[in-house]
């Protein structure tokens, strides 16, 4: 492994790259809760780095609460669920890239059609307007993690159809066309959903987080209606609350 | 029904009282999703109020998104899950009182004991300190809605044992003793938990929201470690996000 690899426009320090490798092995099930991860000595040997670099890589994961150190015994896995923050408005794609994972999508449906009455009301558009409807399965390293149904009004993102929605992020695209999402209302449920489980090819007993989100531009115009199902066995969500 | 009934220290307008009655019938399953609730005429007859009062009562529920009006057809139930906000730090007891429901608790365990190593770390206390540990089932109108495990350091709330924790709110008590909760970190999961389902006497297939919360006083001292399981078939959570 080179000392530095190029990643987007940024160069990533090697201790971060190693922490990403370890994190991925925790989230893909290679290490389970309570398992011991490689020692600093083993990291030094495997990656050919200094002991300080190995230590920094592990400290990254300790700071995230993913692993904990037991003096004289080693470093152990605390949790194996991906953690996403509810304090930020972010999309699946950018969140996963951020922590060094490899997200992708499969588009099950993409069409332009007239809005329903409910969509007219929620998106503040008229019946003569058109909306894009999209259904996507979201993957990390080919493992299905979630399912999303998205409605976007055509007049705000007319070129949505030309975006490669299997690889690109809607939220990044909105930033690029100078229409970043400013705020959102979101409702969360914990549900069992046989139909979604079947789409993902997973057991029907796995609970989902269900999110019903409406997102707005800076000028208050609604830009998306998003229904998301994310696997409860794969994700947890954090929030900082203040009075 | 009298025009005004006394409720705590406040007098509640009659249209609010009627909306509380209707809300309770939605949440206790008397009305299901899609069901028609009483017409304004029926409310006028039943409660002996003016048409304006009946209309205002229904408008309350429309504004909450609990029901919707269909012109010429009536008013129909949108959702039957209780909605709580994630933007505020509140407790179960006060949230339920707020929407006119009748919360109660059953204490399954209450003890004072030395803290574990993890509790020392999270609560920033020493091994010589003591903590209160409490387990409660939370009810609304005798129906079990959730289960909570609470750890509170004795030095911050020495009189916790004298509180009637089957009826009173910890969060209100903290305000009364001038130690209101200022902020909190919370992790959420969507889980199946047979043990908790058994404690509540409900089906093992009902998913729970699991919350792992650490709450802090204004001066930064941690005042509670709270593990909550709330029924996914009874609750949804809303959050307003901004960039």
């Amino acid at each position: 492994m080179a000392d530095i690899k190029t990643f987007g426009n940024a160069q990533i320090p090697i201790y971060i790259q190693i922490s990403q490798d370890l994190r991925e092995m925790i989230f893909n099930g290679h290490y389970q809760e309570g398992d011991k991860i490689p020692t600093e000595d083993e990291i030094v040997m495997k990656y050919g780095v200094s002991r300080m670099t190995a230590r920094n890589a592990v400290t990254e994961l300790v700071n995230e609460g993913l692993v904990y150190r037991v003096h004289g015994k080693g470093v152990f896995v605390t949790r194996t669920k991906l953690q996403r923050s509810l304090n930020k408005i972010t999309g699946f794609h950018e969140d996963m890239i951020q922590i060094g994972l490899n997200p992708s999508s499969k588009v099950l449906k993409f069409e332009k059609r007239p809005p329903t009455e409910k969509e007219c009301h929620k998106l503040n558009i008229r019946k003569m307007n058109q909306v894009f409807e999209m259904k996507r399965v979201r993957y990390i390293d080919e493992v299905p993690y979630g399912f999303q149904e998205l409605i976007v009004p055509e007049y705000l993102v007319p070129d949505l159809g030309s975006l490669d929605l299997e690889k690109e992020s809607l939220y990044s695209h909105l930033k690029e066309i100078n229409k970043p999402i400013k705020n959102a209302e979101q409702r969360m449920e914990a549900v069992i959903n046989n139909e979604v489980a079947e789409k993902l090819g997973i057991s029907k007993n796995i609970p989902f987080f269900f999110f019903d989100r409406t997102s707005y531009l800076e000028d208050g115009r609604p830009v998306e209606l998003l229904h998301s199902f994310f696997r409860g066995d794969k994700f947890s969500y954090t929030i900082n609350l203040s009075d």
Side-chain angles (χ1 to χ4, degrees), chain A:
Chain A
M1 182 186 276
D3 275 330
I4 296 288
K5 70 176 174 185
T6 307
F7 187 80
N9 290 321
Q11 287 190 314
I12 300 185
I14 191 150
Y15 77 93
I16 297 283
Q17 294 175 41
I18 296 170
S19 74
Q20 283 175 356
D21 278 6
L22 294 170
R23 192 187 293 105
E24 200 170 323
M25 285 194 284
I26 292 170
F27 290 140
N28 73 15
H30 184 88
Y31 298 114
Q32 304 281 331
E33 210 172 303
D35 281 1
K36 193 174 162 184
I37 67 167
T39 62
E40 287 172 19
D41 279 343
E42 286 163 353
I43 293 173
V44 166
M45 293 288 288
K46 180 174 174 197
Y47 292 89
V49 295
S50 70
R51 175 165 280 274
M52 175 69 91
T53 297
R55 168 160 285 267
N56 287 344
V58 172
T59 300
E60 280 293 299
L61 304 180
V62 171
N63 291 344
E64 284 168 34
L66 265 187
V67 300
Y68 60 100
R69 290 192 170 100
V70 179
H71 189 70
K73 287 191 179 156
V75 179
F76 298 86
V77 175
T78 316
R79 61 177 171 79
T80 55
K81 290 186 184 184
L82 283 167
Q83 204 157 282
R84 297 178 71 185
S85 170
L86 283 172
N87 287 98
K88 309 175 298 171
I89 307 174
T90 52
F92 172 78
H93 190 90
E94 57 189 310
D95 276 2
M96 297 306 104
I97 292 283
Q98 179 74 32
I99 53 175
L101 296 177
N102 177 29
S104 64
S105 302
K106 186 175 167 188
V107 176
L108 301 188
K109 181 181 185 180
F110 184 88
E111 69 169 17
K112 188 161 83 171
R113 58 162 175 78
T116 65
E117 204 160 312
K118 201 171 174 184
E119 287 161 2
C120 282
H121 176 67
K122 288 195 161 190
L123 290 171
N124 201 16
I125 57 178
R126 288 158 184 272
K127 286 227 156 175
M128 69 185 70
N129 289 112
Q130 300 274 307
V131 295
F132 293 111
E133 176 183 350
M134 177 171 54
K135 300 188 184 203
R136 285 196 282 189
V137 178
R138 315 301 304 248
Y139 298 87
I140 297 172
D141 289 331
E142 265 109 273
V143 178
Y145 272 65
F147 173 73
Q148 295 185 307
E149 297 171 328
L150 174 72
I151 308 288
V152 174
E154 187 199 14
Y155 87 98
L156 284 176
V157 195
D159 59 343
L160 189 64
S162 67
L163 203 64
D164 180 355
L165 290 160
E166 305 228 326
K167 297 202 183 75
E168 295 180 75
S169 150
L170 171 66
Y171 287 15
S172 302
H173 181 68
L174 289 171
K175 281 177 197 158
E176 279 160 23
I177 63 172
N178 219 11
K179 287 174 182 149
I181 288 171
K182 179 66 183 169
N183 59 304
E185 293 160 5
Q186 184 160 287
R187 191 167 50 82
M188 302 177 66
E189 300 191 1
V191 300
I192 296 286
N193 189 308
N194 292 346
E195 207 182 315
V196 173
E198 209 165 284
K199 278 186 174 54
L200 300 189
I202 61 173
S203 158
K204 292 180 181 186
N205 300 318
I206 293 176
F208 290 101
F209 283 104
F210 168 70
F211 298 94
D212 181 353
R213 177 187 286 190
T214 306
S215 305
Y216 301 87
L217 302 181
E218 188 149 20
D219 59 16
R221 288 181 294 181
V223 66
E224 70 161 357
L225 304 177
L226 180 63
H227 284 178
S228 305
F229 293 85
F230 281 112
R231 292 173 62 170
D233 63 332
K234 293 290 189 186
F235 285 102
S236 68
Y237 291 84
T238 60
I239 182 169
N240 290 315
L241 303 158
S242 58
D243 200 27

